[in-house]
Amino acid sequence: MLRLEKSKEHQSEILSLFGEVDASNSVILDEAIQELVDGGSKSIIIDGKKLEYISSAGLGVFMSYLEDFHEKGITMKICELTPRVNEVFKILGLDQLIPIYQDRAAAFAD
């Protein structure tokens, strides 16, 4: 099960993820990110503090936006991933494509 919360902090849109992102619900994540893009967001921070699991479908959502974000000048950062989820990002090399920070303060500072 996936739950999302949106908020705004320091001129960034925060998308907090709770639970698990898998093939059955990755479209929810996709729609939430697309809504932020359509709303004109230029800075998006994904807070993964309560994200317990992410499948390849969930990772694919992030990958699908990389080129679009680059072309539109949108920055996306990820923070507070659990060790388990962080390892998945590292194994697939996504930490080289999307900045990952230990906490929100570090994401805002960069």
Side-chain angles (χ1 to χ4, degrees):
M1 176 179 229
L2 173 65
R3 185 170 61 87
L4 306 173
E5 285 182 8
K6 295 179 191 174
S7 59
K8 191 163 185 147
E9 198 174 326
H10 299 289
Q11 299 168 349
S12 293
E13 298 288 342
I14 311 297
L15 187 59
S16 299
L17 310 181
F18 298 82
E20 301 180 351
V21 180
D22 58 28
S24 69
N25 62 23
S26 63
V27 68
I28 296 168
L29 175 61
D30 186 33
E31 289 170 351
I33 294 173
Q34 188 62 55
E35 186 176 301
L36 294 174
V37 172
D38 292 345
S41 299
K42 291 296 182 186
S43 175
I44 299 170
I45 296 178
I46 307 295
D47 185 330
K49 185 176 186 175
K50 300 289 184 177
L51 181 62
E52 299 165 7
Y53 170 82
I54 189 164
S55 72
S56 59
L59 294 168
V61 170
F62 293 119
M63 302 242 346
S64 71
Y65 282 97
L66 292 176
E67 186 176 333
D68 194 33
F69 283 1
H70 180 72
E71 290 173 0
K72 293 180 178 179
I74 299 170
T75 60
M76 178 171 58
K77 301 174 184 178
I78 299 175
C79 68
E80 299 202 44
L81 293 177
T82 63
R84 178 179 168 189
V85 173
N86 192 40
E87 187 65 22
V88 173
F89 275 82
K90 284 184 175 183
I91 287 171
L92 296 175
L94 290 179
D95 61 324
Q96 302 299 311
L97 302 172
I98 304 168
I100 298 175
Y101 299 88
Q102 189 168 1
D103 54 37
R104 279 193 196 184
F108 290 130
D110 185 25

